[in-house]
Amino acid sequence: MKRRLFVAVIAGLALTAAACSAEHETGAAGAGEAVVDHVADGDTLELESGDRVRLVQIDATELGEGECYSEEATGALEELAPPGTRVRLEADPSLDQVDQYGRLLRYVHVGDRNVNLELVRRGAAAPYFFHGDHGRYASELENAGKAARDAGRGIWGACRVAWNPERSATALYR
């Protein structure tokens, strides 16, 4: 009888730990859903859960570092995912799940819109393939980035951009 009780307690603890881990990964209750608390910069969201999400496979210029188009990039993300917005977070199993700063690395969806891809389409961010790793939407991101660059949209028309898809984009004022 004691053994059965011990096994039941261990099983219960394992289920509780799994549930807590799943909730922490998504940042909210539900299957990958969360609510935006605020936008930190052009490629980072803070969630009501306290988790931070770095939009994976893209890079926007850094806010507060004097880089060209950083305020506009932040504004574009605020427009697409304003505070209070319910978002769906999508992990890419072929990529890292968390960055060196503890941020969740995710594709962010609002309704049917892939926010990562939309930021690149608008020229508010550039495709970024950390260590050359290409995730689920890499081809779409590359095509959107090329189209934005060719059309001079966003950062591509406003700044002098040094860009390599395997490094962070740098943008200087013209």
Side-chain angles (χ1 to χ4, degrees), residues 45 54-58 76-77 80-81 87-92 106-122 125 135-142 144:
L45 294 173
R54 170 68 165 75
L55 280 71
V56 71
Q57 300 269 276
I58 70 168
L77 183 52
L80 293 165
V87 296
R88 182 172 55 86
L89 304 176
E90 179 185 0
D92 192 326
R106 301 290 186 270
Y107 300 106
V108 174
H109 300 271
V110 175
D112 292 335
R113 179 180 284 172
N114 179 326
V115 175
N116 307 48
L117 185 57
E118 184 61 25
L119 288 168
V120 173
R121 281 187 183 124
R122 292 181 180 195
R136 179 176 297 144
Y137 300 103
S139 297
E140 292 171 75
L141 289 164
E142 287 176 322

